[in-house]
Amino acid sequence: MCGIVGFVGEENAAPILLSGLRRLEYRGYDSAGIAVCNKVVSVIKEKGRIDNLQEEVNKENPQGTVGIGHTRWATHGIPDKTNAHPHKSMNGIVTLVHNGIIENYLEIKNDLIAKGYKFKSQTDTEVIAALFENLFDGDALNTLIKTAEKLEGSYAVAMLIKGYEDKVFAMKKDSPLIVGKGTNANYLASDIPAILPYTRDCYIVNDGEFIEISKDEIKVYDENGTQKDCEIKTINMSINSAEKNGYDYFMAKEIFEQPKAVHDTVSPLIKNGKIVLPFEFPENFIKELKRIYIVACGSAYHIGMAAKYIIEDLARIPVTVDIASEFRYRNPIIEKGDLCIFVSQSGETADTLASLREAKKRGAFTLSIVNVLYSTIARESDGVIYTNAGAEIAVATTKAFSAQLGVSYILASYLAYEKGLINNEFLKKFTDEILCLPEKINTSFDCDKITKKLAEKIKNQEHIFFIGRGIDYPLCLEGSLKLKEISYIHCEGYGAGELKHGTISLIEEGTVVVAIATDDSLYSKMVSNIKEVHARGAYVIAVVKESTKGIEKIADEVIFIPETSRYLTPSLTVVPLQLLAYHTTVERGLDVDKPRNLAKSVTVE
């Protein structure tokens, strides 16, 4: 959600800024712009895609070796050229870009209007520029600190300041920002892929820090203006993960990368049939554990729902699954000794991060499952398990989801074993089955042809329903979300037992219903539900295990997945659901990777 790049070096900044912005397109945006400094600051910005911005940059050909760039996802003000970043202060003292939300911007804006300031945009970002100009005393760092003191909310800000034409300044609070160290050049970005072609040596900016970069130097200051050590970390991320490698879309590439993502995530956690976690719980913590919360948003929330089924069944520990944006405001009953698990692909999800901080205040042990190294949620958790899925570029998560599922299986079996509820023999058999998942996911890709055929049939549907029971229910929600978010078809996921409590009234002739029925203990119940919707004219697509017999007689189409433990079926069930969403979106002629109004990393409430 919004992207920042910055550059100070010896080369022309504009091409580097544009390249960085393209690598941040996955974050979601509706306008883009750059500012390049060569004694004076040239600002170029456009509504829509970066290609539009590129055309204007080619025409104007701005020259300068210092610059900042931004992709904006509209919050304050409509997505247009005026509201696009960068924003310049009224008298040109500062030009800046901003991720986040300034909560007290109206109060500051009204105060500045009373002092004679005039604003061009509807954004909260322009208020930061005006405030900085109003406070400017000739000392950039001092003014930056004074500006931050008056701001409430979240921000990552990069700025060009008059009188400091060879530098870029930045500040950060609750919104990600990194500094890249190069040779005769230094970089700023809101996410690592933006600068991967140029450097892997990065400084992860902390909340309350202020940054000053020139081509030869990176300076970090605290809130008092005291310079701090700049601890550079080497980022181990493949640059190829940010390339399509021959696929038409990143989503397709990432779907077919799932066997590797799951293997790379689970194999380091299993040694000789035992679970080896990359952190330690406090002594006797598991034996005394009475309650678990799993907190997440979107697809990660569906991971929590699936994990609840497995943890409660294997480890017999009560699990509450919460949407992060609700958890943080409902005054949850959290006590010392509780375990709170936070799931986030980016590790920067604003609501999840706020929930983590709330849980820590209340004394819970906090564990995060994240995909991005050194992300804020990972750094602030008591324990972290990284999903080694690599950079995920498409907005709709696929391989990160599967890697998170893998971690949930690991955690469930670890808790059950430490509680003494499963023995060595069960654990060895279960972990062996987890290690077989990559191969079975690969086999699941055999459904690619049938999902493509089905996509041609359902592409013009207005409504599609997903039904399932037990551990299949969270996968109904995930399948529904995946299809609706990229194809824009209205989809809903339901517990199949709820059909008669209202939903069945929506079923009519030709309505598409995807029925997931992988749980043997609930299969006969699902058969009844399938017959109920079929009798009312539904076109039923069933997803079942290979051993299922007779399903062809009651469903219009059947997708088979390989056999595995009933706890692990989500990893195989999700594959045809992902492929169905992907192919349907392609058939509808839409941009699979960048669905409208959505962002990959949701860093504001």
Side-chain angles (χ1 to χ4, degrees), residues 398-442:
T398 52
K399 64 176 180 174
F401 180 90
S402 289
Q404 290 164 351
L405 273 176
V407 173
S408 72
Y409 307 145
I410 297 283
L411 274 176
S413 54
Y414 176 85
L415 293 170
Y417 183 77
E418 292 298 313
K419 281 277 191 180
L421 297 175
I422 60 174
N423 57 25
N424 287 322
E425 182 182 359
F426 182 97
L427 183 63
K428 176 68 164 61
K429 184 177 180 181
F430 191 68
T431 53
D432 284 349
E433 195 67 27
I434 293 172
L435 292 172
C436 288
L437 279 175
E439 181 181 347
K440 292 184 177 182
I441 293 171
N442 199 52

mmCIF file of all heavy atoms in Angstrom, residues 398-442:
data_model
loop_
_atom_site.group_PDB
_atom_site.id
_atom_site.type_symbol
_atom_site.label_atom_id
_atom_site.label_comp_id
_atom_site.label_asym_id
_atom_site.label_seq_id
_atom_site.Cartn_x
_atom_site.Cartn_y
_atom_site.Cartn_z
ATOM 1 N N THR A 398 -0.639 -16.599 -2.607
ATOM 2 C CA THR A 398 -0.731 -18.022 -2.940
ATOM 3 C C THR A 398 0.364 -18.801 -2.206
ATOM 4 O O THR A 398 0.112 -19.524 -1.268
ATOM 5 C CB THR A 398 -0.626 -18.247 -4.458
ATOM 6 O OG1 THR A 398 0.547 -17.573 -4.962
ATOM 7 C CG2 THR A 398 -1.856 -17.718 -5.172
ATOM 8 N N LYS A 399 1.618 -18.582 -2.616
ATOM 9 C CA LYS A 399 2.699 -19.374 -2.017
ATOM 10 C C LYS A 399 2.936 -18.999 -0.559
ATOM 11 O O LYS A 399 3.293 -19.867 0.250
ATOM 12 C CB LYS A 399 3.981 -19.252 -2.833
ATOM 13 C CG LYS A 399 4.599 -17.865 -2.905
ATOM 14 C CD LYS A 399 5.922 -17.906 -3.657
ATOM 15 C CE LYS A 399 6.570 -16.528 -3.735
ATOM 16 N NZ LYS A 399 7.921 -16.583 -4.337
ATOM 17 N N ALA A 400 2.726 -17.748 -0.190
ATOM 18 C CA ALA A 400 2.877 -17.371 1.222
ATOM 19 C C ALA A 400 1.790 -18.033 2.057
ATOM 20 O O ALA A 400 2.041 -18.470 3.185
ATOM 21 C CB ALA A 400 2.831 -15.859 1.374
ATOM 22 N N PHE A 401 0.579 -18.125 1.512
ATOM 23 C CA PHE A 401 -0.523 -18.809 2.192
ATOM 24 C C PHE A 401 -0.159 -20.265 2.462
ATOM 25 O O PHE A 401 -0.322 -20.768 3.576
ATOM 26 C CB PHE A 401 -1.785 -18.719 1.329
ATOM 27 C CG PHE A 401 -2.996 -19.383 1.927
ATOM 28 C CD1 PHE A 401 -3.862 -18.672 2.740
ATOM 29 C CD2 PHE A 401 -3.287 -20.716 1.659
ATOM 30 C CE1 PHE A 401 -4.989 -19.277 3.290
ATOM 31 C CE2 PHE A 401 -4.404 -21.333 2.206
ATOM 32 C CZ PHE A 401 -5.266 -20.610 3.026
ATOM 33 N N SER A 402 0.360 -20.941 1.448
ATOM 34 C CA SER A 402 0.717 -22.357 1.609
ATOM 35 C C SER A 402 1.864 -22.546 2.593
ATOM 36 O O SER A 402 1.887 -23.513 3.354
ATOM 37 C CB SER A 402 1.077 -22.958 0.249
ATOM 38 O OG SER A 402 -0.080 -23.092 -0.549
ATOM 39 N N ALA A 403 2.819 -21.628 2.578
ATOM 40 C CA ALA A 403 3.916 -21.710 3.539
ATOM 41 C C ALA A 403 3.408 -21.487 4.959
ATOM 42 O O ALA A 403 3.848 -22.160 5.908
ATOM 43 C CB ALA A 403 4.987 -20.682 3.183
ATOM 44 N N GLN A 404 2.456 -20.562 5.134
ATOM 45 C CA GLN A 404 1.862 -20.332 6.450
ATOM 46 C C GLN A 404 1.095 -21.557 6.933
ATOM 47 O O GLN A 404 1.132 -21.903 8.121
ATOM 48 C CB GLN A 404 0.938 -19.116 6.392
ATOM 49 C CG GLN A 404 1.670 -17.796 6.225
ATOM 50 C CD GLN A 404 0.750 -16.658 5.791
ATOM 51 O OE1 GLN A 404 -0.415 -16.881 5.453
ATOM 52 N NE2 GLN A 404 1.276 -15.442 5.787
ATOM 53 N N LEU A 405 0.403 -22.230 6.009
ATOM 54 C CA LEU A 405 -0.261 -23.490 6.370
ATOM 55 C C LEU A 405 0.749 -24.498 6.902
ATOM 56 O O LEU A 405 0.514 -25.163 7.911
ATOM 57 C CB LEU A 405 -0.974 -24.084 5.153
ATOM 58 C CG LEU A 405 -2.398 -23.641 4.854
ATOM 59 C CD1 LEU A 405 -2.873 -24.283 3.561
ATOM 60 C CD2 LEU A 405 -3.341 -24.004 5.992
ATOM 61 N N GLY A 406 1.886 -24.598 6.217
ATOM 62 C CA GLY A 406 2.928 -25.520 6.660
ATOM 63 C C GLY A 406 3.375 -25.240 8.080
ATOM 64 O O GLY A 406 3.552 -26.165 8.891
ATOM 65 N N VAL A 407 3.544 -23.970 8.420
ATOM 66 C CA VAL A 407 3.946 -23.600 9.779
ATOM 67 C C VAL A 407 2.848 -23.966 10.778
ATOM 68 O O VAL A 407 3.137 -24.408 11.896
ATOM 69 C CB VAL A 407 4.282 -22.102 9.863
ATOM 70 C CG1 VAL A 407 4.532 -21.674 11.304
ATOM 71 C CG2 VAL A 407 5.505 -21.787 9.008
ATOM 72 N N SER A 408 1.594 -23.803 10.399
ATOM 73 C CA SER A 408 0.496 -24.126 11.322
ATOM 74 C C SER A 408 0.491 -25.612 11.668
ATOM 75 O O SER A 408 0.213 -25.987 12.813
ATOM 76 C CB SER A 408 -0.852 -23.692 10.740
ATOM 77 O OG SER A 408 -1.256 -24.514 9.666
ATOM 78 N N TYR A 409 0.816 -26.478 10.693
ATOM 79 C CA TYR A 409 0.901 -27.906 10.982
ATOM 80 C C TYR A 409 2.042 -28.192 11.967
ATOM 81 O O TYR A 409 1.899 -29.009 12.891
ATOM 82 C CB TYR A 409 1.155 -28.711 9.702
ATOM 83 C CG TYR A 409 0.205 -28.458 8.563
ATOM 84 C CD1 TYR A 409 0.655 -28.487 7.243
ATOM 85 C CD2 TYR A 409 -1.141 -28.202 8.772
ATOM 86 C CE1 TYR A 409 -0.200 -28.267 6.176
ATOM 87 C CE2 TYR A 409 -2.015 -27.982 7.717
ATOM 88 C CZ TYR A 409 -1.529 -28.009 6.422
ATOM 89 O OH TYR A 409 -2.374 -27.799 5.367
ATOM 90 N N ILE A 410 3.162 -27.526 11.732
ATOM 91 C CA ILE A 410 4.331 -27.699 12.601
ATOM 92 C C ILE A 410 3.987 -27.305 14.038
ATOM 93 O O ILE A 410 4.277 -28.029 14.999
ATOM 94 C CB ILE A 410 5.511 -26.852 12.090
ATOM 95 C CG1 ILE A 410 5.955 -27.297 10.697
ATOM 96 C CG2 ILE A 410 6.664 -26.848 13.084
ATOM 97 C CD1 ILE A 410 6.763 -28.547 10.654
ATOM 98 N N LEU A 411 3.371 -26.140 14.182
ATOM 99 C CA LEU A 411 3.034 -25.652 15.519
ATOM 100 C C LEU A 411 2.043 -26.568 16.225
ATOM 101 O O LEU A 411 2.191 -26.861 17.417
ATOM 102 C CB LEU A 411 2.445 -24.239 15.430
ATOM 103 C CG LEU A 411 3.427 -23.084 15.425
ATOM 104 C CD1 LEU A 411 2.681 -21.768 15.234
ATOM 105 C CD2 LEU A 411 4.229 -23.046 16.721
ATOM 106 N N ALA A 412 1.016 -27.017 15.497
ATOM 107 C CA ALA A 412 0.004 -27.881 16.103
ATOM 108 C C ALA A 412 0.628 -29.167 16.632
ATOM 109 O O ALA A 412 0.347 -29.597 17.767
ATOM 110 C CB ALA A 412 -1.088 -28.198 15.089
ATOM 111 N N SER A 413 1.479 -29.796 15.840
ATOM 112 C CA SER A 413 2.095 -31.051 16.273
ATOM 113 C C SER A 413 3.101 -30.820 17.396
ATOM 114 O O SER A 413 3.230 -31.638 18.314
ATOM 115 C CB SER A 413 2.747 -31.761 15.090
ATOM 116 O OG SER A 413 3.667 -30.917 14.418
ATOM 117 N N TYR A 414 3.813 -29.689 17.352
ATOM 118 C CA TYR A 414 4.755 -29.366 18.429
ATOM 119 C C TYR A 414 4.015 -29.188 19.757
ATOM 120 O O TYR A 414 4.422 -29.741 20.796
ATOM 121 C CB TYR A 414 5.511 -28.090 18.079
ATOM 122 C CG TYR A 414 6.449 -27.616 19.172
ATOM 123 C CD1 TYR A 414 7.739 -28.136 19.268
ATOM 124 C CD2 TYR A 414 6.041 -26.671 20.114
ATOM 125 C CE1 TYR A 414 8.606 -27.712 20.274
ATOM 126 C CE2 TYR A 414 6.900 -26.243 21.119
ATOM 127 C CZ TYR A 414 8.180 -26.773 21.191
ATOM 128 O OH TYR A 414 9.019 -26.362 22.195
ATOM 129 N N LEU A 415 2.920 -28.441 19.749
ATOM 130 C CA LEU A 415 2.150 -28.216 20.972
ATOM 131 C C LEU A 415 1.585 -29.521 21.507
ATOM 132 O O LEU A 415 1.625 -29.778 22.721
ATOM 133 C CB LEU A 415 1.021 -27.218 20.697
ATOM 134 C CG LEU A 415 1.441 -25.778 20.369
ATOM 135 C CD1 LEU A 415 0.242 -24.967 19.874
ATOM 136 C CD2 LEU A 415 2.065 -25.098 21.580
ATOM 137 N N ALA A 416 1.062 -30.355 20.610
ATOM 138 C CA ALA A 416 0.497 -31.633 21.038
ATOM 139 C C ALA A 416 1.564 -32.537 21.646
ATOM 140 O O ALA A 416 1.327 -33.206 22.669
ATOM 141 C CB ALA A 416 -0.174 -32.329 19.849
ATOM 142 N N TYR A 417 2.736 -32.547 21.047
ATOM 143 C CA TYR A 417 3.824 -33.393 21.554
ATOM 144 C C TYR A 417 4.303 -32.893 22.916
ATOM 145 O O TYR A 417 4.497 -33.682 23.848
ATOM 146 C CB TYR A 417 4.979 -33.395 20.553
ATOM 147 C CG TYR A 417 6.121 -34.298 20.950
ATOM 148 C CD1 TYR A 417 6.027 -35.680 20.776
ATOM 149 C CD2 TYR A 417 7.290 -33.784 21.506
ATOM 150 C CE1 TYR A 417 7.074 -36.520 21.147
ATOM 151 C CE2 TYR A 417 8.329 -34.602 21.878
ATOM 152 C CZ TYR A 417 8.218 -35.973 21.705
ATOM 153 O OH TYR A 417 9.245 -36.800 22.080
ATOM 154 N N GLU A 418 4.489 -31.581 23.038
ATOM 155 C CA GLU A 418 4.950 -31.022 24.317
ATOM 156 C C GLU A 418 3.906 -31.191 25.417
ATOM 157 O O GLU A 418 4.253 -31.267 26.600
ATOM 158 C CB GLU A 418 5.293 -29.540 24.146
ATOM 159 C CG GLU A 418 6.517 -29.282 23.276
ATOM 160 C CD GLU A 418 7.786 -29.884 23.874
ATOM 161 O OE1 GLU A 418 8.021 -29.679 25.087
ATOM 162 O OE2 GLU A 418 8.525 -30.552 23.127
ATOM 163 N N LYS A 419 2.643 -31.269 25.044
ATOM 164 C CA LYS A 419 1.574 -31.531 26.006
ATOM 165 C C LYS A 419 1.474 -33.010 26.366
ATOM 166 O O LYS A 419 0.722 -33.393 27.271
ATOM 167 C CB LYS A 419 0.225 -31.076 25.426
ATOM 168 C CG LYS A 419 -0.031 -29.581 25.496
ATOM 169 C CD LYS A 419 -0.573 -29.194 26.872
ATOM 170 C CE LYS A 419 -1.087 -27.778 26.891
ATOM 171 N NZ LYS A 419 -1.613 -27.403 28.235
ATOM 172 N N GLY A 420 2.209 -33.854 25.645
ATOM 173 C CA GLY A 420 2.170 -35.288 25.903
ATOM 174 C C GLY A 420 0.961 -35.980 25.308
ATOM 175 O O GLY A 420 0.609 -37.091 25.723
ATOM 176 N N LEU A 421 0.324 -35.360 24.328
ATOM 177 C CA LEU A 421 -0.896 -35.913 23.744
ATOM 178 C C LEU A 421 -0.643 -36.743 22.495
ATOM 179 O O LEU A 421 -1.542 -37.444 22.026
ATOM 180 C CB LEU A 421 -1.871 -34.776 23.429
ATOM 181 C CG LEU A 421 -2.361 -33.989 24.653
ATOM 182 C CD1 LEU A 421 -3.223 -32.806 24.235
ATOM 183 C CD2 LEU A 421 -3.145 -34.899 25.597
ATOM 184 N N ILE A 422 0.535 -36.624 21.912
ATOM 185 C CA ILE A 422 0.930 -37.522 20.825
ATOM 186 C C ILE A 422 2.319 -38.069 21.143
ATOM 187 O O ILE A 422 3.115 -37.410 21.814
ATOM 188 C CB ILE A 422 0.925 -36.816 19.456
ATOM 189 C CG1 ILE A 422 1.894 -35.630 19.421
ATOM 190 C CG2 ILE A 422 -0.479 -36.369 19.083
ATOM 191 C CD1 ILE A 422 2.036 -34.978 18.057
ATOM 192 N N ASN A 423 2.588 -39.264 20.664
ATOM 193 C CA ASN A 423 3.871 -39.898 20.977
ATOM 194 C C ASN A 423 4.862 -39.737 19.827
ATOM 195 O O ASN A 423 4.549 -39.149 18.779
ATOM 196 C CB ASN A 423 3.672 -41.372 21.322
ATOM 197 C CG ASN A 423 2.975 -42.140 20.199
ATOM 198 O OD1 ASN A 423 3.039 -41.741 19.036
ATOM 199 N ND2 ASN A 423 2.315 -43.237 20.542
ATOM 200 N N ASN A 424 6.067 -40.278 20.031
ATOM 201 C CA ASN A 424 7.111 -40.165 19.012
ATOM 202 C C ASN A 424 6.692 -40.788 17.683
ATOM 203 O O ASN A 424 7.004 -40.250 16.622
ATOM 204 C CB ASN A 424 8.395 -40.837 19.516
ATOM 205 C CG ASN A 424 9.083 -40.032 20.590
ATOM 206 O OD1 ASN A 424 9.111 -38.807 20.526
ATOM 207 N ND2 ASN A 424 9.627 -40.703 21.593
ATOM 208 N N GLU A 425 5.992 -41.910 17.763
ATOM 209 C CA GLU A 425 5.587 -42.612 16.539
ATOM 210 C C GLU A 425 4.620 -41.751 15.717
ATOM 211 O O GLU A 425 4.770 -41.619 14.502
ATOM 212 C CB GLU A 425 4.934 -43.944 16.901
ATOM 213 C CG GLU A 425 4.526 -44.767 15.686
ATOM 214 C CD GLU A 425 3.839 -46.070 16.072
ATOM 215 O OE1 GLU A 425 3.692 -46.340 17.284
ATOM 216 O OE2 GLU A 425 3.435 -46.802 15.152
ATOM 217 N N PHE A 426 3.620 -41.163 16.393
ATOM 218 C CA PHE A 426 2.666 -40.301 15.686
ATOM 219 C C PHE A 426 3.372 -39.086 15.095
ATOM 220 O O PHE A 426 3.136 -38.715 13.948
ATOM 221 C CB PHE A 426 1.565 -39.852 16.649
ATOM 222 C CG PHE A 426 0.504 -38.991 15.997
ATOM 223 C CD1 PHE A 426 -0.688 -39.545 15.561
ATOM 224 C CD2 PHE A 426 0.702 -37.626 15.792
ATOM 225 C CE1 PHE A 426 -1.662 -38.759 14.944
ATOM 226 C CE2 PHE A 426 -0.247 -36.828 15.175
ATOM 227 C CZ PHE A 426 -1.439 -37.403 14.753
ATOM 228 N N LEU A 427 4.251 -38.474 15.915
ATOM 229 C CA LEU A 427 4.944 -37.271 15.448
ATOM 230 C C LEU A 427 5.799 -37.574 14.228
ATOM 231 O O LEU A 427 5.819 -36.788 13.259
ATOM 232 C CB LEU A 427 5.804 -36.698 16.571
ATOM 233 C CG LEU A 427 6.523 -35.385 16.241
ATOM 234 C CD1 LEU A 427 5.524 -34.274 15.961
ATOM 235 C CD2 LEU A 427 7.458 -34.981 17.372
ATOM 236 N N LYS A 428 6.507 -38.698 14.247
ATOM 237 C CA LYS A 428 7.360 -39.070 13.110
ATOM 238 C C LYS A 428 6.508 -39.279 11.852
ATOM 239 O O LYS A 428 6.847 -38.782 10.753
ATOM 240 C CB LYS A 428 8.127 -40.347 13.436
ATOM 241 C CG LYS A 428 8.977 -40.907 12.290
ATOM 242 C CD LYS A 428 10.150 -39.981 11.980
ATOM 243 C CE LYS A 428 11.213 -40.665 11.134
ATOM 244 N NZ LYS A 428 10.723 -41.103 9.820
ATOM 245 N N LYS A 429 5.401 -39.987 11.999
ATOM 246 C CA LYS A 429 4.522 -40.234 10.853
ATOM 247 C C LYS A 429 3.936 -38.926 10.329
ATOM 248 O O LYS A 429 3.868 -38.691 9.111
ATOM 249 C CB LYS A 429 3.406 -41.188 11.261
ATOM 250 C CG LYS A 429 2.483 -41.589 10.117
ATOM 251 C CD LYS A 429 1.439 -42.589 10.585
ATOM 252 C CE LYS A 429 0.509 -42.981 9.429
ATOM 253 N NZ LYS A 429 -0.535 -43.938 9.866
ATOM 254 N N PHE A 430 3.543 -38.043 11.257
ATOM 255 C CA PHE A 430 2.924 -36.776 10.864
ATOM 256 C C PHE A 430 3.928 -35.859 10.177
ATOM 257 O O PHE A 430 3.626 -35.250 9.136
ATOM 258 C CB PHE A 430 2.344 -36.096 12.108
ATOM 259 C CG PHE A 430 1.463 -34.914 11.800
ATOM 260 C CD1 PHE A 430 0.231 -35.073 11.176
ATOM 261 C CD2 PHE A 430 1.846 -33.628 12.155
ATOM 262 C CE1 PHE A 430 -0.582 -33.984 10.899
ATOM 263 C CE2 PHE A 430 1.042 -32.540 11.885
ATOM 264 C CZ PHE A 430 -0.176 -32.715 11.255
ATOM 265 N N THR A 431 5.131 -35.759 10.730
ATOM 266 C CA THR A 431 6.139 -34.890 10.113
ATOM 267 C C THR A 431 6.592 -35.442 8.767
ATOM 268 O O THR A 431 6.896 -34.672 7.849
ATOM 269 C CB THR A 431 7.346 -34.693 11.043
ATOM 270 O OG1 THR A 431 7.858 -35.964 11.468
ATOM 271 C CG2 THR A 431 6.968 -33.873 12.273
ATOM 272 N N ASP A 432 6.638 -36.761 8.641
ATOM 273 C CA ASP A 432 6.962 -37.350 7.337
ATOM 274 C C ASP A 432 5.909 -36.960 6.301
ATOM 275 O O ASP A 432 6.232 -36.676 5.138
ATOM 276 C CB ASP A 432 7.040 -38.873 7.437
ATOM 277 C CG ASP A 432 8.325 -39.352 8.090
ATOM 278 O OD1 ASP A 432 9.249 -38.531 8.276
ATOM 279 O OD2 ASP A 432 8.412 -40.553 8.430
ATOM 280 N N GLU A 433 4.651 -36.935 6.730
ATOM 281 C CA GLU A 433 3.572 -36.564 5.823
ATOM 282 C C GLU A 433 3.681 -35.078 5.443
ATOM 283 O O GLU A 433 3.429 -34.702 4.296
ATOM 284 C CB GLU A 433 2.220 -36.842 6.485
ATOM 285 C CG GLU A 433 1.038 -36.845 5.539
ATOM 286 C CD GLU A 433 1.056 -37.992 4.542
ATOM 287 O OE1 GLU A 433 1.641 -39.053 4.837
ATOM 288 O OE2 GLU A 433 0.507 -37.803 3.437
ATOM 289 N N ILE A 434 4.084 -34.239 6.401
ATOM 290 C CA ILE A 434 4.298 -32.818 6.099
ATOM 291 C C ILE A 434 5.402 -32.666 5.058
ATOM 292 O O ILE A 434 5.285 -31.885 4.111
ATOM 293 C CB ILE A 434 4.653 -32.032 7.383
ATOM 294 C CG1 ILE A 434 3.462 -31.983 8.338
ATOM 295 C CG2 ILE A 434 5.099 -30.610 7.033
ATOM 296 C CD1 ILE A 434 3.783 -31.388 9.698
ATOM 297 N N LEU A 435 6.479 -33.441 5.231
ATOM 298 C CA LEU A 435 7.600 -33.351 4.296
ATOM 299 C C LEU A 435 7.234 -33.851 2.900
ATOM 300 O O LEU A 435 7.917 -33.515 1.921
ATOM 301 C CB LEU A 435 8.800 -34.130 4.840
ATOM 302 C CG LEU A 435 9.455 -33.535 6.093
ATOM 303 C CD1 LEU A 435 10.502 -34.486 6.656
ATOM 304 C CD2 LEU A 435 10.079 -32.175 5.780
ATOM 305 N N CYS A 436 6.169 -34.647 2.797
ATOM 306 C CA CYS A 436 5.704 -35.129 1.490
ATOM 307 C C CYS A 436 4.806 -34.119 0.771
ATOM 308 O O CYS A 436 4.474 -34.309 -0.408
ATOM 309 C CB CYS A 436 4.936 -36.442 1.658
ATOM 310 S SG CYS A 436 5.961 -37.872 2.052
ATOM 311 N N LEU A 437 4.389 -33.067 1.483
ATOM 312 C CA LEU A 437 3.449 -32.114 0.893
ATOM 313 C C LEU A 437 3.954 -31.464 -0.396
ATOM 314 O O LEU A 437 3.171 -31.312 -1.346
ATOM 315 C CB LEU A 437 3.079 -31.032 1.912
ATOM 316 C CG LEU A 437 2.006 -31.412 2.934
ATOM 317 C CD1 LEU A 437 1.830 -30.292 3.950
ATOM 318 C CD2 LEU A 437 0.675 -31.719 2.249
ATOM 319 N N PRO A 438 5.223 -31.046 -0.480
ATOM 320 C CA PRO A 438 5.659 -30.420 -1.736
ATOM 321 C C PRO A 438 5.414 -31.299 -2.960
ATOM 322 O O PRO A 438 4.938 -30.814 -3.995
ATOM 323 C CB PRO A 438 7.154 -30.177 -1.495
ATOM 324 C CG PRO A 438 7.262 -29.998 -0.016
ATOM 325 C CD PRO A 438 6.274 -30.965 0.562
ATOM 326 N N GLU A 439 5.711 -32.583 -2.828
ATOM 327 C CA GLU A 439 5.494 -33.503 -3.950
ATOM 328 C C GLU A 439 4.004 -33.622 -4.269
ATOM 329 O O GLU A 439 3.596 -33.653 -5.440
ATOM 330 C CB GLU A 439 6.070 -34.874 -3.604
ATOM 331 C CG GLU A 439 5.919 -35.899 -4.714
ATOM 332 C CD GLU A 439 6.478 -37.265 -4.324
ATOM 333 O OE1 GLU A 439 7.190 -37.352 -3.300
ATOM 334 O OE2 GLU A 439 6.199 -38.234 -5.052
ATOM 335 N N LYS A 440 3.174 -33.672 -3.230
ATOM 336 C CA LYS A 440 1.735 -33.819 -3.451
ATOM 337 C C LYS A 440 1.115 -32.536 -4.004
ATOM 338 O O LYS A 440 0.161 -32.585 -4.785
ATOM 339 C CB LYS A 440 1.057 -34.242 -2.150
ATOM 340 C CG LYS A 440 1.443 -35.658 -1.739
ATOM 341 C CD LYS A 440 0.706 -36.132 -0.497
ATOM 342 C CE LYS A 440 1.077 -37.573 -0.183
ATOM 343 N NZ LYS A 440 0.359 -38.101 0.998
ATOM 344 N N ILE A 441 1.640 -31.392 -3.585
ATOM 345 C CA ILE A 441 1.180 -30.131 -4.175
ATOM 346 C C ILE A 441 1.508 -30.107 -5.659
ATOM 347 O O ILE A 441 0.699 -29.683 -6.496
ATOM 348 C CB ILE A 441 1.819 -28.924 -3.459
ATOM 349 C CG1 ILE A 441 1.313 -28.824 -2.015
ATOM 350 C CG2 ILE A 441 1.522 -27.629 -4.202
ATOM 351 C CD1 ILE A 441 2.055 -27.811 -1.176
ATOM 352 N N ASN A 442 2.695 -30.611 -5.984
ATOM 353 C CA ASN A 442 3.100 -30.682 -7.389
ATOM 354 C C ASN A 442 2.130 -31.563 -8.186
ATOM 355 O O ASN A 442 1.746 -31.226 -9.312
ATOM 356 C CB ASN A 442 4.520 -31.228 -7.479
ATOM 357 C CG ASN A 442 5.169 -30.910 -8.800
ATOM 358 O OD1 ASN A 442 5.199 -29.756 -9.226
ATOM 359 N ND2 ASN A 442 5.676 -31.920 -9.473
#
